[in-house]
Coordinates of all heavy atoms in Angstrom, one line a residue:
S7 N -20.0 -2.3 28.4 CA -21.4 -2.7 28.6 C -22.4 -1.6 28.2 O -23.5 -1.9 27.7 CB -21.7 -3.2 30.0 OG -21.3 -2.2 30.9
E8 N -22.0 -0.4 28.3 CA -22.9 0.7 27.9 C -23.1 0.8 26.4 O -24.1 1.1 25.9 CB -22.4 2.1 28.4 CG -21.0 2.5 27.8 CD -20.1 3.2 28.8 OE1 -20.2 3.0 30.0 OE2 -19.2 3.9 28.3
I9 N -22.0 0.4 25.7 CA -22.2 0.3 24.2 C -23.1 -0.8 23.8 O -23.9 -0.7 22.9 CB -20.8 0.2 23.5 CG1 -19.9 1.4 23.8 CG2 -20.9 0.0 22.0 CD1 -20.4 2.7 23.3
I10 N -23.0 -1.9 24.5 CA -23.9 -3.1 24.2 C -25.3 -2.7 24.5 O -26.2 -3.0 23.7 CB -23.4 -4.3 25.0 CG1 -22.0 -4.8 24.5 CG2 -24.4 -5.4 24.9 CD1 -21.4 -5.9 25.4
E11 N -25.5 -2.0 25.6 CA -26.9 -1.5 26.0 C -27.4 -0.5 24.9 O -28.6 -0.6 24.6 CB -26.9 -0.9 27.4 CG -26.7 -1.9 28.5 CD -26.5 -1.2 29.8 OE1 -26.7 0.0 29.9 OE2 -26.0 -1.9 30.8
M12 N -26.5 0.3 24.4 CA -26.9 1.3 23.4 C -27.3 0.5 22.1 O -28.3 0.9 21.5 CB -25.7 2.2 23.1 CG -26.0 3.4 22.2 SD -24.6 4.4 21.8 CE -23.9 4.7 23.3
C13 N -26.5 -0.4 21.8 CA -26.9 -1.2 20.6 C -28.2 -1.9 20.8 O -29.1 -1.8 19.9 CB -25.8 -2.3 20.3 SG -24.2 -1.7 19.8
D14 N -28.4 -2.6 21.9 CA -29.7 -3.3 22.1 C -30.8 -2.4 22.2 O -31.9 -2.7 21.7 CB -29.5 -4.1 23.4 CG -28.5 -5.3 23.3 OD1 -28.2 -5.6 22.1 OD2 -28.1 -5.8 24.3
G15 N -30.6 -1.2 22.8 CA -31.7 -0.3 22.9 C -32.2 0.4 21.6 O -33.3 0.9 21.5
N16 N -31.3 0.4 20.6 CA -31.6 1.0 19.4 C -31.9 0.1 18.2 O -31.9 0.5 17.0 CB -30.4 2.0 19.0 CG -30.4 3.2 19.9 OD1 -31.4 3.8 20.1 ND2 -29.2 3.5 20.4
L17 N -32.0 -1.2 18.5 CA -32.2 -2.2 17.4 C -33.5 -1.9 16.6 O -33.4 -1.9 15.4 CB -32.3 -3.6 18.0 CG -31.0 -4.3 18.5 CD1 -31.3 -5.6 19.1 CD2 -30.0 -4.4 17.4
S18 N -34.6 -1.6 17.3 CA -35.8 -1.4 16.6 C -35.7 0.0 15.8 O -36.3 0.1 14.7 CB -37.0 -1.4 17.5 OG -36.9 -0.4 18.5
L19 N -35.1 1.0 16.4 CA -35.0 2.3 15.8 C -34.2 2.2 14.5 O -34.5 2.8 13.5 CB -34.4 3.3 16.7 CG -34.2 4.7 16.3 CD1 -35.6 5.3 16.0 CD2 -33.5 5.5 17.3
A20 N -33.1 1.4 14.5 CA -32.3 1.2 13.4 C -32.8 0.1 12.4 O -32.2 -0.1 11.4 CB -30.8 0.8 13.8
E21 N -33.9 -0.5 12.8 CA -34.5 -1.6 12.0 C -33.5 -2.7 11.7 O -33.4 -3.3 10.6 CB -35.0 -1.1 10.7 CG -36.2 -0.1 10.9 CD -36.7 0.5 9.6 OE1 -36.2 0.1 8.5 OE2 -37.6 1.4 9.7
A22 N -32.7 -3.0 12.7 CA -31.7 -4.1 12.7 C -32.3 -5.3 13.4 O -33.0 -5.2 14.4 CB -30.4 -3.7 13.4
K23 N -32.1 -6.5 12.8 CA -32.6 -7.7 13.3 C -31.8 -8.3 14.5 O -32.3 -9.1 15.3 CB -32.7 -8.8 12.2 CG -33.6 -8.4 11.1 CD -33.6 -9.4 10.0 CE -34.6 -9.0 8.9 NZ -34.5 -9.9 7.7
S24 N -30.6 -7.8 14.6 CA -29.7 -8.3 15.7 C -28.7 -7.3 16.0 O -28.5 -6.3 15.3 CB -29.0 -9.6 15.2 OG -28.1 -9.3 14.1
R25 N -28.0 -7.5 17.1 CA -26.9 -6.7 17.6 C -25.8 -6.7 16.5 O -25.2 -5.6 16.2 CB -26.3 -7.1 18.9 CG -25.3 -6.2 19.5 CD -24.6 -6.8 20.7 NE -25.6 -7.0 21.8 CZ -25.5 -7.9 22.8 NH1 -24.4 -8.6 22.8 NH2 -26.4 -8.0 23.7
N26 N -25.6 -7.8 15.9 CA -24.5 -8.0 14.9 C -24.9 -7.1 13.7 O -24.0 -6.4 13.2 CB -24.5 -9.4 14.5 CG -23.3 -9.7 13.6 OD1 -22.1 -9.5 14.0 ND2 -23.6 -10.1 12.4
Q27 N -26.1 -7.1 13.3 CA -26.5 -6.3 12.1 C -26.4 -4.8 12.5 O -26.0 -4.0 11.6 CB -28.0 -6.6 11.7 CG -28.4 -5.9 10.4 CD -27.6 -6.2 9.2 OE1 -27.3 -7.4 9.0 NE2 -27.1 -5.2 8.5
F28 N -26.8 -4.4 13.7 CA -26.7 -3.1 14.1 C -25.2 -2.6 14.1 O -24.9 -1.5 13.6 CB -27.2 -2.9 15.6 CG -27.2 -1.5 16.1 CD1 -28.2 -0.7 15.9 CD2 -26.1 -1.0 16.8 CE1 -28.2 0.6 16.4 CE2 -26.0 0.2 17.3 CZ -27.1 1.1 17.1
I29 N -24.3 -3.4 14.5 CA -22.9 -3.0 14.5 C -22.4 -2.9 13.1 O -21.6 -2.0 12.7 CB -22.0 -4.0 15.4 CG1 -22.4 -3.8 16.8 CG2 -20.6 -3.8 15.1 CD1 -21.8 -4.9 17.8
I30 N -22.8 -3.8 12.2 CA -22.4 -3.8 10.8 C -22.9 -2.5 10.2 O -22.1 -1.8 9.5 CB -23.0 -5.0 10.0 CG1 -22.3 -6.3 10.4 CG2 -22.9 -4.8 8.5 CD1 -22.9 -7.5 9.9
D31 N -24.2 -2.1 10.4 CA -24.7 -0.9 9.8 C -24.0 0.3 10.4 O -23.7 1.3 9.7 CB -26.2 -0.8 10.1 CG -27.0 -1.8 9.4 OD1 -26.5 -2.4 8.4 OD2 -28.2 -2.0 9.7
A32 N -23.7 0.3 11.7 CA -23.0 1.4 12.4 C -21.6 1.6 11.8 O -21.1 2.7 11.5 CB -22.9 1.2 13.9
V33 N -20.9 0.5 11.5 CA -19.5 0.6 11.0 C -19.6 1.1 9.5 O -18.8 2.0 9.1 CB -18.8 -0.8 11.0 CG1 -17.5 -0.8 10.2 CG2 -18.5 -1.2 12.5
K34 N -20.6 0.7 8.8 CA -20.7 1.2 7.4 C -21.0 2.7 7.4 O -20.5 3.4 6.6 CB -21.9 0.4 6.7 CG -21.5 -1.0 6.2 CD -22.6 -1.6 5.5 CE -22.3 -3.0 5.1 NZ -23.4 -3.7 4.4
L35 N -21.9 3.1 8.3 CA -22.2 4.5 8.4 C -21.0 5.3 8.8 O -20.7 6.4 8.2 CB -23.3 4.7 9.5 CG -23.7 6.2 9.7 CD1 -24.4 6.8 8.5 CD2 -24.7 6.2 10.9
Y36 N -20.2 4.8 9.8 CA -19.1 5.6 10.2 C -18.0 5.6 9.1 O -17.4 6.7 8.9 CB -18.5 4.9 11.4 CG -17.3 5.7 12.0 CD1 -17.5 7.0 12.5 CD2 -16.0 5.2 12.1 CE1 -16.5 7.7 13.1 CE2 -15.0 5.9 12.7 CZ -15.2 7.2 13.1 OH -14.2 7.9 13.7
D37 N -17.9 4.6 8.3 CA -17.0 4.6 7.1 C -17.5 5.6 6.1 O -16.6 6.4 5.6 CB -17.0 3.2 6.5 CG -16.1 3.1 5.3 OD1 -14.8 3.3 5.5 OD2 -16.5 3.0 4.1
C38 N -18.8 5.8 5.9 CA -19.3 6.8 5.0 C -19.0 8.2 5.5 O -18.6 9.1 4.8 CB -20.8 6.7 4.8 SG -21.3 5.3 3.8
V39 N -19.1 8.4 6.8 CA -18.8 9.7 7.4 C -17.3 10.0 7.3 O -16.9 11.1 6.9 CB -19.2 9.7 8.9 CG1 -18.6 10.9 9.6 CG2 -20.7 9.6 9.1
L40 N -16.4 9.0 7.5 CA -15.0 9.3 7.4 C -14.6 9.6 5.9 O -13.7 10.3 5.7 CB -14.2 8.0 7.8 CG -14.3 7.8 9.3 CD1 -13.5 6.4 9.6 CD2 -13.6 8.9 10.1
H41 N -15.3 9.0 5.0 CA -15.0 9.2 3.6 C -16.1 10.1 2.9 O -16.3 9.9 1.7 CB -14.9 7.9 2.9 CG -13.8 7.0 3.4 ND1 -14.0 6.0 4.3 CD2 -12.5 7.0 3.1 CE1 -12.9 5.4 4.6 NE2 -11.9 6.0 3.9
K42 N -16.6 11.0 3.6 CA -17.7 11.8 3.0 C -17.4 12.6 1.8 O -18.2 12.9 1.0 CB -18.3 12.7 4.1 CG -17.4 13.8 4.6 CD -18.1 14.6 5.7 CE -17.2 15.6 6.2 NZ -16.2 15.1 7.2
D43 N -16.1 13.0 1.7 CA -15.7 13.8 0.5 C -15.7 12.9 -0.8 O -16.0 13.5 -1.9 CB -14.3 14.3 0.7 CG -14.2 15.4 1.8 OD1 -15.3 16.0 2.1 OD2 -13.2 15.5 2.4
V44 N -15.4 11.7 -0.7 CA -15.4 10.8 -1.9 C -16.6 9.9 -2.0 O -16.9 9.3 -3.0 CB -14.1 10.0 -1.9 CG1 -12.9 10.9 -2.1 CG2 -13.9 9.1 -0.7
N45 N -17.3 9.7 -0.9 CA -18.4 8.8 -0.9 C -19.7 9.6 -0.6 O -19.9 10.0 0.5 CB -18.2 7.7 0.2 CG -19.3 6.6 0.2 OD1 -20.2 6.7 -0.6 ND2 -19.2 5.7 1.0
T46 N -20.6 9.7 -1.6 CA -21.8 10.5 -1.4 C -23.0 9.5 -1.3 O -24.1 10.0 -1.3 CB -22.0 11.4 -2.6 OG1 -22.0 10.7 -3.8 CG2 -20.9 12.5 -2.6
N47 N -22.8 8.3 -1.1 CA -23.9 7.3 -1.0 C -24.8 7.6 0.2 O -25.9 7.2 0.2 CB -23.3 5.9 -0.9 CG -22.7 5.4 -2.2 OD1 -23.0 6.0 -3.2 ND2 -21.8 4.5 -2.1
L48 N -24.2 8.1 1.3 CA -25.0 8.3 2.5 C -25.9 9.6 2.5 O -27.1 9.4 2.7 CB -24.0 8.5 3.7 CG -24.6 8.9 5.0 CD1 -25.4 7.8 5.5 CD2 -23.5 9.2 6.0
L49 N -25.4 10.7 2.1 CA -26.1 11.9 2.2 C -26.8 12.4 0.9 O -27.9 12.9 1.0 CB -25.2 13.1 2.7 CG -24.6 12.8 4.1 CD1 -23.6 13.9 4.4 CD2 -25.7 12.7 5.1
T50 N -26.2 12.2 -0.2 CA -26.7 12.7 -1.5 C -28.2 12.3 -1.8 O -29.0 13.1 -2.0 CB -25.8 12.4 -2.6 OG1 -24.5 12.9 -2.3 CG2 -26.3 13.0 -3.9
P51 N -28.5 11.0 -1.7 CA -29.9 10.6 -2.0 C -30.9 11.3 -1.1 O -32.0 11.7 -1.5 CB -29.9 9.1 -1.9 CG -28.5 8.7 -2.1 CD -27.7 9.8 -1.6
A52 N -30.5 11.3 0.2 CA -31.4 11.9 1.2 C -31.6 13.4 0.9 O -32.8 13.9 1.0 CB -30.9 11.7 2.6
F53 N -30.6 14.1 0.7 CA -30.7 15.5 0.4 C -31.4 15.8 -0.9 O -32.2 16.7 -1.0 CB -29.3 16.2 0.3 CG -28.7 16.5 1.6 CD1 -27.3 16.3 1.8 CD2 -29.4 16.9 2.7 CE1 -26.7 16.5 3.1 CE2 -28.8 17.2 3.9 CZ -27.5 17.0 4.1
E54 N -31.2 15.0 -1.9 CA -31.9 15.1 -3.2 C -33.4 15.0 -3.0 O -34.2 15.7 -3.5 CB -31.4 14.1 -4.2 CG -30.0 14.5 -4.8 CD -29.5 13.5 -5.8 OE1 -30.2 12.5 -6.0 OE2 -28.4 13.7 -6.3

């Protein structure tokens, strides 16, 4: 329940329309973090 509350509390901050979208975005972000050596889609544009 604390994870669900965390998702719901951060919907507007993450600009997600639903809890489902928030979880999708979170999983994609975590995937980028796990593959940061081969996937620069997350950090490179922001750093540039």
Side-chain angles (χ1 to χ4, degrees):
S7 57
E8 66 217 24
I9 298 295
I10 294 171
E11 290 171 13
M12 189 185 307
C13 291
D14 292 343
N16 289 312
L17 286 177
S18 61
L19 184 62
E21 297 177 4
K23 296 177 183 174
S24 65
R25 184 186 300 154
N26 189 61
Q27 185 62 48
F28 182 88
I29 292 172
I30 290 170
D31 292 344
V33 169
K34 285 180 181 179
L35 177 65
Y36 187 61
D37 183 65
C38 286
V39 170
L40 290 175
H41 297 97
K42 67 182 176 282
D43 293 335
V44 293
N45 186 359
T46 58
N47 291 335
L48 173 66
L49 299 177
T50 302
F53 282 140
E54 285 177 0

